[in-house]
Amino acid sequence: MTATPKESPERPARAAPATLAQAARERRDVVSGEVRDEASLIRFVVAPDGLVVPDLGRKLPGRGVWVAADRASVETAARKGAFARSARTKARAPEDLADQVEALLKKRVIDGLGLARRAGELISGFEKVAASLASGGAAWLIEASDGAEDGRRKVLAALRRSPRPVGVVGVFTSAELGLALGLENVIHTAFLAGRPADRWATDVRRLAGFRPLLPESWREEP
């Protein structure tokens, strides 16, 4: 999965938001100048010592600086001094700022899986996952990145027969999933369709701007 392509700056300006609530959820990306929904952006703040800090939860005090949720945009903002200009203060962006954002997003995504399991929104095990795919009950398939190829091939075949589109995430190892879910030998997991899955997907899509959601080796499998 890749980040949503940016619109050309030469295109006509976007129409005004339909509602005040929609307008409140939109911010301007300091790199492209585009007004975009907050869900596709990363908020940063400048700490009292001048250090640029990612604020994925959008709760830290201070003037927010919004950047498109992809590695190239964050690196460009840091390189061209966009944080200082937008915050109107001295700002120092760490060299690894994009890596910090990726690590924080990865943690948010896997923590979200743990919350979903405790809420009964997540199921694990090949048979249960395959059944949820067949019934159209799954919104996301989460496969351990180090799972066996044979089992992955079978569950992906079940996914292709699903009556609804299903996203796939292969970012985490079996050990990482097991730690987050409090289970052992976690290979196949499905996030059931519903509002919790939709909210979780926001962070997944932002993470996709910083790293591939599927291992490169999977694309080479028959």
Side-chain angles (χ1 to χ4, degrees):
M1 182 180 297
T2 58
T4 302
K6 295 180 181 177
E7 297 175 350
S8 168
E10 298 176 357
R11 293 182 181 178
R14 292 176 48 172
T19 66
L20 291 176
Q22 182 181 348
R25 294 194 299 269
E26 293 187 336
R27 304 287 180 175
R28 188 176 300 277
D29 169 21
V30 298
V31 174
S32 68
E34 296 176 6
V35 175
R36 304 176 59 167
D37 191 285
E38 285 186 3
S40 66
L41 300 165
I42 303 293
R43 183 179 189 263
F44 296 86
V45 297
V46 179
D49 63 358
L51 187 67
V52 176
V53 179
D55 178 25
L56 273 62
R58 306 165 190 164
K59 295 180 180 178
L60 294 178
R63 183 186 180 92
V65 180
W66 300 82
V67 182
D70 63 76
R71 178 174 292 276
S73 293
V74 172
E75 291 177 345
T76 298
R79 186 174 64 253
K80 295 190 174 182
F83 295 107
R85 287 196 305 274
S86 180
R88 300 174 185 173
T89 186
K90 292 183 179 180
R92 184 176 74 261
E95 291 184 2
D96 65 342
L97 185 59
D99 291 332
Q100 290 183 29
V101 174
E102 177 185 330
L104 290 169
L105 282 170
K106 185 178 177 183
K107 184 177 186 305
R108 282 176 67 92
V109 169
I110 198 165
D111 286 350
L113 292 177
L115 292 173
R117 180 178 182 271
R118 291 191 288 275
E121 301 290 342
L122 206 73
I123 57 174
S124 299
F126 178 83
E127 297 298 334
K128 291 181 179 179
V129 169
S132 71
L133 292 170
S135 68
W140 287 87
L141 171 65
I142 301 95
E143 282 286 294
S145 59
D146 54 350
E149 179 182 335
D150 181 58
R152 181 166 57 252
R153 187 185 301 115
K154 291 177 180 177
V155 80
L156 290 178
L159 177 146
R160 287 190 287 272
R161 296 191 295 269
S162 174
R164 62 171 291 154
V166 179
V168 185
V169 175
V171 170
F172 307 106
T173 65
S174 176
E176 288 174 320
L177 290 171
L179 183 63
L181 304 183
L183 301 172
E184 295 184 359
N185 194 33
V186 180
I187 304 297
H188 314 292
T189 302
F191 205 133
L192 301 178
R195 294 182 66 181
D198 294 340
R199 290 193 294 269
W200 180 77
T202 297
D203 284 325
V204 174
R205 294 187 182 103
R206 294 197 294 174
L207 178 61
F210 293 84
R211 60 168 299 162
L213 295 182
L214 302 178
E216 186 66 32
S217 61
W218 291 16
R219 302 184 179 92
E220 301 170 0
E221 295 177 2

